[in-house]
Amino acid sequence: QLLLVESGGGLVQPGGSLRLSCAAPRSILSTYTQYIMGWYRQAPGKERELVASITSGKLTNYADFVKGRFTISRDNSRKTIWLQMNSLNAEDTALYYCNAAHIGGSAQSWGQGTQVTVSS
């Protein structure tokens, strides 16, 4: 399992942008590249849902509700992923979690979560 450290959440007005980051500082590179990294979110009273994911080869997958607005990126050498969020709206308000899922399906790690609040 990976230790995941998130940052970048906060309060933003509708239409604004935020950039989340998630680092795995204690991971060695050969281990880190065995994980599909992703962002999930959970709003109050709702289930946790996938936002976006990225493989070590930079293949990406997005939920329909963020396509064209959010971009996930990854730097294996820095063992870090980012989520650039643009055109934010109130429905994007949630606790955002970084996730690491081993490609063999044998292990999964979660970050502590970072709050994103979109409000005027």
Side-chain angles (χ1 to χ4, degrees):
Q1 292 188 339
L2 304 181
L3 171 66
L4 301 175
V5 180
E6 302 153 346
S7 61
L11 174 65
V12 64
Q13 292 186 344
S17 299
L18 280 176
R19 190 189 193 206
L20 307 181
S21 66
C22 172
R26 297 182 184 174
S27 174
I28 61 174
L29 183 59
S30 61
T31 298
Y32 184 73
T33 55
Q34 295 176 36
Y35 284 82
I36 299 171
M37 302 298 298
W39 291 97
Y40 286 71
R41 72 185 188 184
Q42 188 167 19
K46 294 187 177 181
E47 294 186 352
R48 192 173 298 188
E49 59 186 357
L50 174 68
V51 175
S53 64
I54 186 167
T55 68
S56 62
K58 311 296 177 66
L59 293 176
T60 59
N61 178 49
Y62 292 94
D64 286 342
F65 54 78
V66 302
K67 285 182 179 178
R69 299 190 298 126
F70 292 9
T71 302
I72 190 170
S73 58
R74 175 172 181 160
D75 185 331
N76 289 325
S77 64
R78 296 172 64 181
K79 294 168 285 182
T80 301
I81 64 168
W82 297 269
L83 185 69
Q84 177 66 42
M85 305 185 292
N86 299 327
S87 302
L88 286 161
N89 57 60
E91 289 70 37
D92 296 315
T93 295
L95 193 58
Y96 283 70
Y97 294 91
C98 181
N99 173 267
H102 193 271
I103 56 175
S106 60
Q108 183 167 220
S109 301
W110 293 93
Q112 78 280 7
T114 185
Q115 179 67 38
V116 172
T117 302
V118 184
S119 175
S120 55

